[in-house]
Amino acid sequence: DAKTTQPPSMDCAEGRAANLPCNHSTISGNEYVYWYRQIHSQGPQYIIHGLKNNETNEMASLIITEDRKSSTLILPHATLRDTAVYYCIVRVEVTDKLIFGTGTRLQVFP
Amino acid sequence: DTEVTQTPKHLVMGMTNKKSLKCEQHMGHRAMYWYKQKAKKPPELMFVYSYEKLSINESVPSRFSPECPNSSLLNLHLHALQPEDSALYLCASSQDRNYGYTFGSGTRLTVV
């Protein structure tokens, strides 16, 4: 299974962009990169996913490097409500397995 | 309806009890999942159902028994659990493996 590596924690000032990195150097050609977040004691929330191209939605942007070995989730204007654990996940090819790594605990401060 | 609903939200059970967790979705998703999450740890995959059939069992002990009565409903039957099984149990669903999962808010289980 492709594994992901994320920093255990990050801080971000409110109103600034939060850039969360993820390494997935063993990713296969057909495996998607997913980002989820989990606010304390709630179920994980889907944020965004991508294969090769950069993606943007109302929540965030996903930048995937050309070699697909790493990606960055960007929250353009972080708010206090964005404080959560952010998981970068590579979905196991041709299965229904979504395996969570250890994630990054993002703390947004005033 | 764009939610996954889990009941109950909290459950306390003794080691000799039998209980069930329930998960429901009305989004027409074809796959449903059970995850277990211990405190300060990431969710761990337990079971995957695809088109109402069990497709993945991540070597989960038999005291956990999943059931998918129909395409909208997923149960997790619990029997003879141990205190170390206390955790947040999360249910999720997805339409297709290349789409995002929708998670429920979980059932917090305490085994005494």
Side-chain angles (χ1 to χ4, degrees):
Chain A
D1 298 352
K3 294 186 177 178
T4 61
T5 304
Q6 299 177 253
S9 63
M10 293 182 65
D11 291 337
C12 180
E14 189 177 21
R16 303 297 292 268
N19 297 288
L20 291 88
C22 179
N23 287 323
H24 31 78
S25 58
T26 60
I27 193 169
S28 298
N30 294 328
E31 290 179 323
Y32 282 73
V33 179
Y34 289 78
W35 283 84
Y36 284 76
R37 73 180 182 184
Q38 189 172 25
I39 297 169
H40 182 61
S41 295
Q42 298 181 19
Q45 177 189 22
Y46 166 79
I47 301 172
I48 200 167
H49 76 281
L51 181 62
K52 295 180 182 177
N53 299 321
N54 297 338
E55 302 287 345
T56 296
N57 63 22
E58 64 278 4
M59 288 182 69
S61 295
L62 173 61
I63 308 298
I64 303 174
T65 58
E66 194 168 341
D67 63 7
R68 302 188 70 238
K69 293 185 176 182
S70 65
S71 60
T72 300
L73 178 75
I74 301 172
L75 307 179
H77 306 287
T79 71
L80 298 178
R81 286 179 292 184
D82 292 323
T83 293
V85 178
Y86 286 77
Y87 294 102
C88 168
I89 305 163
V90 174
R91 188 165 194 164
V92 179
E93 189 174 5
V94 300
T95 74
D96 286 318
K97 284 187 174 186
L98 200 67
I99 307 297
F100 286 77
T102 52
T104 295
R105 185 171 298 275
L106 176 69
Q107 179 70 51
V108 180
F109 58 92
Chain B
D1 188 352
T2 58
E3 291 186 349
V4 172
T5 302
Q6 290 188 243
T7 55
K9 293 195 181 305
H10 300 275
L11 179 63
V12 179
M13 61 184 290
M15 290 187 284
T16 58
N17 291 160
K18 287 185 180 181
K19 296 286 185 183
S20 296
L21 309 185
K22 179 180 173 181
C23 173
E24 202 162 2
Q25 58 89 11
H26 297 287
M27 294 176 282
H29 287 177
R30 62 118 188 124
M32 297 184 76
Y33 315 82
W34 281 114
Y35 282 81
K36 173 183 176 179
Q37 186 174 27
K38 303 281 280 183
K40 298 189 186 302
K41 298 291 187 182
E44 297 176 17
L45 182 65
M46 299 175 72
F47 302 104
V48 179
Y49 273 82
S50 180
Y51 295 107
E52 302 170 43
K53 289 189 179 352
L54 182 65
S55 61
I56 296 175
N57 177 341
E58 292 286 275
S59 303
V60 178
S62 60
R63 58 186 184 270
F64 296 91
S65 175
E67 178 197 20
C68 190
N70 59 59
S71 60
S72 300
L73 189 56
L74 185 66
N75 297 321
L76 186 62
H77 303 297
L78 314 172
H79 173 57
L81 294 193
Q82 303 297 312
E84 57 265 29
D85 295 321
S86 298
L88 180 67
Y89 288 84
L90 294 160
C91 175
S93 70
S94 70
Q95 173 57 29
D96 181 89
R97 63 170 62 97
N98 292 327
Y99 283 76
Y101 288 23
T102 301
F103 280 83
S105 55
T107 293
R108 187 160 299 282
L109 175 68
T110 302
V111 182
V112 297

